[in-house]
Amino acid sequence: MALQPLLAAANVQEPFDTGTKPAYPAGTVSLTSGDWILTDAVLGSAEADRKNGAQAVRLQQNGTLSMAFFLPNGANTVTVQHAIYGTDASSSWELWAQSEACNCNKWTKVGNTVFTTTATLQTAAFTVNIPGKVKFEIRKTSGGAARLNLDDFAVTDYGVAQPSLDNDHLALGNPSGATADPSYPNNYLLLKPQFAVGYNRDQGKPNWVSWHLDISDRGSSDRQDDFRNDTSLPQGWYQVQSTSYSGSGFDRGHNCPSADRTSSDENNSATFLMTNMMPQAPQNNQGPWATLEGYARTFLPNNEVYIVCGSYGVGGTGSNGGLTTTLDQGRLTVPNRTWKVIVVLPVGDNDVARITAATRVIAVDMPNINTLNQDWSTYRTTVDAIEAATGYDLLSKLPIEVQTAIESKVDAGPVL
C-alpha cells in the first residue's frame, strides 16, 4: 500500500454524506452504496471532522466500519481517505476483505497497516484483485481515545485494467507503504533509477530495498567502489558517511548489489550510496549472502528477477567479536537478521499477471553473525515468515490467491 491520488475511475464510491449516526454504539446506516455497520463509530459533521463533503466516518477505540452487503463485481483496487480527528493523536487501521465464494465468513487482511498521523486528508490505496462478490471492513487497530476520520471509500471492479508495471522496482508492491514525505523519517521512500529504498533515518539504513533485474542491467562497467553519503535525503537529516563503518568489524553491505548494475558506470556507482548499505557481518556479506546474489544472476538471460531484501532486529556480531547494536555514535543500527525474497519468471510482458502459484520464489532469513553456515540454502524460509518478523506486506500487488499460494512455501529448487 502506498499513498496515492484518489482513483478517478471508481466503480463504487461511498462519500458518507447521507445517513445519520450521532452515537458510538454499534448500528446500521443506509448510505448511497448500501447498508454499512458502524461500531464505535459515528457519522461526524463537526468542524474538527476531516471531510470532503458534509460528513465523514469518525472511529474511536477499536472501532470498525463494515459493509453489510457484497459488491457484485469483485474488486481490483480500494482507496480510502483518512486523517486524524481534530488535534487527536495518531491512529492505525487496516483494510480487511471477505469473499462470498468461500462461504466461510472469513476475513482476510489486505495490504499494510496504515498509520494516520496528519489532520490533512490523505489517500490510502490498496491493490486487492479479488474476483466475485466481495465486501470490506476497516478496523481501527490502535485503540485508545484518539479518533480517526475516514472518507470517500472507492472501489474499482475486478478486471479493470491498470497500467502494466513491467521492469518497475515496485511492480510487486511497496513492502512498508513507504512514502516520499519527510514527515515519515523511518519509512521514507527513495526512488532511484536503479532501485527503490524504504529508508529508516533513525537507524541510518534501509528497512528494505527492491529492484528488478534482467540482462539489460548487466554489462562491462567495473565496480566503482565510490562509497558515499546520499545527498538526496531531506535537508537536516544525518547522512551516513563512507567512513561510518570504519573499525567496526562490519562490512558496508550492499542491499542491491554492485554486480546487478554493471550496464553503466553511473548505474554501478548508484549502488555505493550509503542509503543502499547495512552493517553486515563479513562472513554473512561475503559468504552466503554473496553466493545467493550470484545465484540470482544465473537466471539471466532467459529469465527476469524481482528482488526485495532488507534487515531487521537489533544487534549483530562482526569480525571484532561480541554483540554490537549501533555504529557511528549511535546513529547507525546494526541489524540482527538479513533477509531476501527473489521472484523468478521468464522474460515477457505484464509481469504481475504472469506470476502464478507455480512461480519460483526464494526467501531466506540469515543471522547477522560471523559464524553462520556458509550454505545459503540452509536459511530458506517462507515469505509469510519474513512478513511476520518484519511487519511488511511483500508481493502485495499480486492477486491474493497467488500471494496465499507462493508466500507459504519454502523453496525446494536447485541451489547451483
Side-chain angles (χ1 to χ4, degrees), residues 7 76-77 126-129 156 159-165 350 397:
L7 298 179
N76 188 12
T77 60
F126 303 82
T127 300
V128 180
N129 282 333
T156 58
V160 172
Q162 292 178 296
S164 176
L165 288 176
N350 199 7
K397 289 194 175 179

Side-chain angles (χ1 to χ4, degrees), residues 23 54 126-127 174 210 212 282 329 345 394:
F126 303 82
T127 300
N174 180 329
S210 183
H212 175 265
Q329 299 178 341
L345 65 159
L394 305 175

